[in-house]
Amino acid sequence: MSTKEEKHQLYLKQKALLDTFLEKKAITQAQYNKSLHDLTEKMGETSPEDVHG
């Protein structure tokens, strides 16, 4: 697996963790949105809004 693929897999794992936190009400929707935005930006991923919007 390439470094780019490994980085993407890490991003997906981190996003899944955020999803779980939100689902379990451990964080608010606003905290989730900010964390996801920051994670996406820092890891150089394309935001879901960019893909679907």
Side-chain angles (χ1 to χ4, degrees):
M1 192 177 331
S2 73
T3 302
K4 184 176 180 180
E5 290 167 335
E6 288 174 359
K7 192 173 174 183
H8 182 67
Q9 289 302 314
L10 177 60
Y11 171 81
L12 292 177
K13 287 179 184 179
Q14 293 295 313
K15 183 183 178 304
L17 186 59
L18 283 174
D19 292 345
T20 300
F21 286 162
L22 181 63
E23 180 184 310
K24 301 292 184 186
K25 309 265 191 255
I27 60 175
T28 66
Q29 183 69 52
Q31 289 171 315
Y32 173 87
N33 291 346
K34 176 158 180 21
S35 294
L36 181 58
H37 175 270
D38 291 348
L39 176 68
T40 301
E41 192 173 88
K42 286 180 182 175
M43 295 195 72
E45 293 285 331
T46 304
S47 70
E49 296 82 29
D50 292 344
V51 173
H52 302 296

